[in-house]
Amino acid sequence: MSKPLDFATILGMNPLFSGLGAEAIGALARLCQTRRLPAGQTLFVKGDPGDALYGVRRGQIRIETGTTGGERLTIEVFGAGDLFGEIAVLDGRPRTADAVAQEDAELFVLPRADFLGTLERDGRLAIRIIELLCARLRSTNERTEEMMFLPLAVRLARRLDALVQDFGAEVQITQDELAGLVGVTRESVNRQLQEWRASGIVTLGRGRISVDRERLAVEARKG
């Protein structure tokens, strides 16, 4: 399958672009470039120009931020079929976080100038962008409420369940990264995972967590 057709498939599956129709999606796909990243390589860092929209063809990209003291916080993990980088590519301001390859990855790259040109010509896409940003804001509000009102076990189960839905029953993620997603310490995450391991809900490996999806979903619904 050729590069544009591959990217068109990802665009067509994404709620942001799915209603544009095959012709518009194909036009966007033909503007894309490809980039490969080995595991551990940085795609961009906080403060870099927001010059492109990215789509993941394969592999995983970790979005993270940190302090001058070296502490790191994982904000999100994107896998095959996901799009990211839309905030900086829309407002033209610097990137708000770092993006690092969690594993070997291949990306589609849609330059900002080409993307904005299409946005100006297609009002439907502009409406989709507004809907996407509203959905992101709602998600942020929901996560804030969870941190304030739900116990750790439920919050952790919901984040793991979301990762499982994206990446399958075995998730490549460290306990430090998972702690960053939930907003607690690694020690707190480790204690809960050990409880779940003892009861058979999860199996722990080096940088990987395998889950019993049905039992994890039960834990996620307890809130």
Side-chain angles (χ1 to χ4, degrees), residues 85-117:
E86 70 281 351
I87 293 178
V89 85
L90 283 170
D91 65 15
R93 300 180 66 184
R95 299 291 184 185
T96 58
D98 304 345
V100 181
Q102 180 96 336
E103 58 186 29
D104 290 349
E106 183 176 353
L107 305 175
F108 295 115
V109 184
L110 183 59
R112 180 174 189 265
D114 294 332
F115 178 73
L116 292 184

Side-chain angles (χ1 to χ4, degrees), residues 1 3 9 12 17 36 47 122 148 154 174 183 187 194 204:
M1 183 180 289
K3 176 187 71 174
T9 299
F17 297 98
R36 293 177 175 83
D122 196 322
M148 294 178 62
V154 177
T174 68
E187 291 74 18
Q194 293 299 334
L204 305 178

Side-chain angles (χ1 to χ4, degrees), residues 146 150-151 153-159 161 165 196 212-223:
E146 288 178 357
L150 294 181
V154 177
R155 286 153 48 203
L156 184 59
R158 290 185 177 184
R159 290 304 293 165
D161 187 55
Q165 291 182 39
W196 286 343
D212 181 321
R213 300 180 71 163
E214 292 185 1
R215 295 182 63 189
L216 182 68
V218 171
E219 296 296 316
R221 291 195 295 267
K222 286 184 177 179

Side-chain angles (χ1 to χ4, degrees), residues 114-135:
D114 294 332
F115 178 73
L116 292 184
T118 303
L119 192 63
E120 290 174 355
R121 293 189 298 271
D122 196 322
R124 294 173 300 169
L125 180 55
I127 292 173
R128 292 281 181 172
I129 288 288
I130 293 171
E131 292 173 346
L132 172 68
L133 296 179
C134 289

Side-chain angles (χ1 to χ4, degrees), residues 12-219:
M13 293 187 302
N14 188 277
L16 175 61
F17 297 98
S18 59
L20 294 180
E23 183 176 348
I25 289 175
L28 279 176
R30 285 189 290 273
L31 299 173
C32 78
Q33 306 162 10
T34 57
R35 181 171 178 181
R36 293 177 175 83
L37 294 175
Q41 183 170 322
T42 298
L43 176 63
F44 55 74
V45 299
K46 183 177 180 178
D48 279 356
D51 56 2
L53 176 72
Y54 295 96
V56 185
R57 183 182 184 189
R58 63 178 178 85
Q60 295 180 15
I61 298 293
R62 183 176 69 253
I63 307 300
E64 62 181 24
T65 188
T67 67
T68 55
E71 297 179 354
R72 305 301 297 171
L73 174 67
T74 298
I75 300 173
E76 191 58 88
V77 180
F78 294 110
D82 288 333
L83 296 174
F84 65 97
E86 70 281 351
I87 293 178
V89 85
L90 283 170
D91 65 15
R93 300 180 66 184
R95 299 291 184 185
T96 58
D98 304 345
V100 181
Q102 180 96 336
E103 58 186 29
D104 290 349
E106 183 176 353
L107 305 175
F108 295 115
V109 184
L110 183 59
R112 180 174 189 265
D114 294 332
F115 178 73
L116 292 184
T118 303
L119 192 63
E120 290 174 355
R121 293 189 298 271
D122 196 322
R124 294 173 300 169
L125 180 55
I127 292 173
R128 292 281 181 172
I129 288 288
I130 293 171
E131 292 173 346
L132 172 68
L133 296 179
C134 289
R136 292 284 173 89
L137 180 59
R138 287 178 182 273
S139 177
T140 298
N141 290 340
E142 289 171 0
R143 290 175 64 176
T144 300
E145 290 180 2
E146 288 178 357
M147 291 181 66
M148 294 178 62
F149 300 117
L150 294 181
L152 169 61
V154 177
R155 286 153 48 203
L156 184 59
R158 290 185 177 184
R159 290 304 293 165
L160 260 180
D161 187 55
L163 290 170
V164 164
Q165 291 182 39
D166 285 339
F167 305 118
E170 183 177 86
V171 180
Q172 180 179 325
I173 191 169
T174 68
Q175 292 186 25
D176 282 325
E177 292 163 354
L178 191 55
L181 288 175
V182 183
V184 297
T185 65
R186 180 191 181 281
E187 291 74 18
S188 297
V189 166
N190 180 260
R191 283 195 295 271
Q192 184 59 57
L193 290 176
Q194 293 299 334
E195 289 183 20
W196 286 343
R197 181 191 61 78
S199 60
I201 296 177
V202 302
T203 301
L204 305 178
R206 185 181 295 275
R208 291 181 180 274
I209 301 174
S210 300
V211 307
D212 181 321
R213 300 180 71 163
E214 292 185 1
R215 295 182 63 189
L216 182 68
V218 171
E219 296 296 316

